[in-house]
């Protein structure tokens, strides 16, 4: 391993992140091809998952790929799908060395890509950039291992943890810089999810705005009875931007038909304790191909996800105001009686967001 290896892998990882939210159910992979110290090709997984990063980079490199080193952020695929395996494409192009941080845990690959490369005389180096690659591909791996997507929960709250006044007023607790950061987070996820209460009270669009042409995330509304107004912005845009409704079996058939008529997709979900079971719901979303879901609330949905230990990352935007006990709490009831029962997270980052504070937390490794 050399400083150049680390530098080129960091470049490839940065490229791969450009595909986040754009290429599900495929992983967001980056690839950089280097020959004689010069980058001759680079690419990342394209919208919809194809072409793969290696294909894009090899096409750019052309004949310069022969004898070069390919830095790929995940083990090159080894299975025939809608495209030929990338490990075979790298061999055919004459790549002499492949540097990849981690193996692909997908059973269709799982070491077979590395084996194919070595069998055909390609040197394989692993481990460089592994920690970052594991984080970047966490949603893809989670869908493989746990059949559910990675869940990021966003909370925009006052200093005392409130998301609305007693009368329900909530726009805007945080400022424009924080709201811009939220759009960036939406853009890096496959889906944006809210509860029925938020859909009713805020009438949100849940789209990515301010980023130019963009593959919009799926809008997911969790509504046991599908009791969201059919005149909402979500309904009116359902034929243009994907809208999925996670509902229970008791949702009325006429409402189901009406929502399907405006272009929404219905996802039936299991009910536990009178509410949609969040673990079963996420498995249903994983079965549909989602790898990264960005939950924007409200309080009841946030509480349900936290209570069932289903939040992998928290983005909290704190505004310098207080609303008092009569305001709506950002997180619903958790049933915590003792401190050792509380969900715990580790602080990852703190940064200003205009006049607000943005802090990032990830699931605590110590439980």
């Amino acid at each position: 391993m050399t400083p150049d290896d680390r530098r080129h892998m960091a470049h490839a990882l940065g490229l791969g992140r450009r595909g986040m939210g754009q290429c599900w159910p495929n992983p967001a992979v980056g690839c950089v091809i280097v020959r004689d110290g010069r980058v001759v090709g680079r690419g990342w997984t394209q919208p919809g998952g194809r072409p793969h990063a290696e294909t894009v980079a090899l096409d750019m490199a052309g004949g310069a790929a022969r004898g070069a080193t390919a830095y790929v952020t995940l083990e090159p695929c080894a299975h025939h799908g809608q495209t030929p395996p990338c490990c075979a494409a790298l061999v055919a192009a004459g790549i002499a060395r492949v540097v990849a941080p981690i193996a692909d845990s997908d059973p269709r690959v799982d070491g077979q890509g590395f084996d194919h490369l070595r069998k055909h005389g390609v040197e394989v180096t692993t481990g460089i950039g592994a920690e970052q690659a594991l984080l970047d591909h966490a949603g893809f791996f989670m869908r493989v291992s746990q059949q559910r997507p990675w869940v990021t929960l966003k909370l925009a709250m006052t200093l005392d943890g409130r998301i609305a006044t007693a009368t329900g007023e909530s726009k805007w607790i945080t400022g424009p810089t924080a709201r811009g950061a939220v759009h960036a987070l939406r853009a890096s996820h496959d889906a944006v999810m809210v509860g029925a209460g938020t859909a009713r009270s805020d009438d949100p669009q849940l789209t990515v705005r301010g980023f130019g042409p963009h593959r919009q995330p799926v809008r997911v509304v969790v509504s046991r009875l599908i009791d969201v107004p059919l005149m909402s912005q979500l309904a009116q845009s359902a034929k243009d931007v994907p809208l999925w409704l996670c509902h229970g079996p008791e949702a009325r058939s006429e409402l189901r038909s009406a929502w399907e008529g405006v272009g929404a997709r219905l996802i039936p979900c299991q009910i536990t304790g009178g509410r949609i079971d969040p673990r079963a719901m996420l498995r249903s979303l994983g079965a549909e191909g989602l790898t990264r879901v960005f939950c924007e609330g409200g309080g009841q949905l946030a509480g349900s996800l936290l209570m069932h230990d289903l939040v992998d990352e928290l983005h909290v935007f704190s505004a310098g105001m207080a609303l008092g006990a009569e305001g709506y709490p950002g997180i619903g009831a958790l049933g915590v009686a003792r401190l050792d029962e509380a969900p715990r997270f580790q602080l990852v980052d703190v940064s200003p967001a205009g006049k607000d504070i943005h802090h990032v937390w990830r699931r605590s490794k110590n439980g």
Side-chain angles (χ1 to χ4, degrees):
M1 178 173 60
T2 67
D4 283 345
D5 284 339
R6 289 190 289 269
R7 177 167 58 89
H8 292 310
M9 181 54 69
H11 183 186
L13 286 162
L15 290 174
R17 287 191 286 275
R18 296 187 184 187
M20 283 185 173
Q22 299 290 289
C23 59
W24 62 276
N26 287 359
V29 176
C31 178
V32 174
I33 298 176
V34 179
R35 181 174 176 180
D36 298 327
R38 183 172 66 91
V39 174
V40 295
R42 63 181 204 153
W44 58 92
T45 312
Q46 294 300 291
R50 299 173 195 82
H52 291 184
E54 297 94 327
T55 301
V56 176
L58 288 170
D59 286 347
M60 180 182 291
R66 188 159 298 279
T69 295
Y71 295 85
V72 189
T73 63
L74 185 64
E75 177 184 5
C77 65
H79 60 281
H80 287 268
Q82 296 189 29
T83 57
C86 289
C87 60
L90 291 165
V91 169
I95 291 290
R97 179 178 178 234
V98 168
V99 180
I102 50 178
D104 185 346
S105 61
D106 187 323
R108 298 172 299 175
V109 186
D110 199 15
Q112 296 178 66
F114 290 152
D115 289 346
H116 181 91
L117 292 168
R118 292 187 178 106
K119 180 180 177 182
H120 289 84
V122 178
E123 180 186 350
V124 175
T125 302
T126 62
I128 299 172
E131 184 175 357
Q132 185 62 52
L134 285 168
L135 179 61
D136 289 353
H137 297 303
F140 176 74
F141 290 149
M142 185 162 284
R143 181 171 174 264
V144 171
S145 64
Q146 299 184 35
Q147 293 77 53
R148 74 162 178 91
W150 171 275
V151 174
T152 302
L153 174 62
K154 182 270 291 185
L155 298 170
M157 305 189 298
T158 61
L159 291 174
D160 54 344
R162 306 293 156 172
I163 59 173
T165 66
T167 62
E169 184 183 353
S170 61
K171 291 186 177 180
W172 296 97
I173 285 177
T174 54
T177 302
R179 296 197 294 272
V182 169
H183 280 279
L185 285 164
R186 286 180 182 176
S188 68
H189 287 74
D190 309 340
V192 178
M193 181 167 66
V194 297
T198 297
R200 286 192 299 267
S201 62
D202 293 354
D203 190 22
Q205 297 180 56
L206 301 181
T207 53
V208 174
R209 299 184 292 279
F211 283 77
H214 198 276
R215 186 192 189 195
Q216 290 289 344
V218 175
R219 285 96 50 87
V220 177
V221 178
V222 184
S223 179
R224 181 172 60 90
L225 301 175
I226 325 183
D227 50 351
V228 178
L230 278 159
M231 295 304 294
S232 63
Q233 293 190 85
L234 290 169
Q236 293 176 22
S237 59
K239 290 184 178 177
D240 301 315
V241 182
L243 174 65
W244 297 0
L245 301 176
C246 294
H247 66 88
E250 65 268 61
R252 300 202 320 263
S253 59
E254 60 268 29
L255 277 178
R256 298 186 203 183
S257 298
W259 277 101
E260 288 178 329
V262 300
R265 183 173 182 181
L266 301 186
I267 309 290
C269 295
Q270 176 182 328
I271 299 296
T272 302
R275 295 181 179 180
I276 288 179
D277 185 307
R279 195 175 300 278
M281 176 194 66
L282 289 175
R283 283 198 296 266
S284 294
L285 295 178
E288 296 294 335
L290 298 182
T291 66
R292 290 168 53 83
V293 171
F294 185 57
C295 178
E296 297 199 38
Q300 187 178 95
L301 179 58
S304 179
L305 292 170
L306 286 165
M307 184 189 303
H308 289 84
D309 193 28
L310 293 170
V311 174
D312 302 294
E313 186 167 280
L314 268 167
H315 285 256
V316 182
F317 295 88
S318 295
M321 70 169 77
L323 295 180
E326 63 270 36
Y328 284 89
I331 300 173
L334 295 178
V336 173
R338 301 192 313 271
L339 288 177
D340 61 6
E341 296 173 346
R344 295 211 176 245
F345 294 85
Q346 293 179 325
L347 183 64
V348 175
D349 186 52
V350 179
S351 60
K355 295 181 179 180
D356 307 311
I357 298 294
H358 177 197
H359 31 118
V360 182
W361 305 77
R362 291 201 189 105
R363 180 198 302 277
S364 174
K365 295 178 182 177
N366 298 322

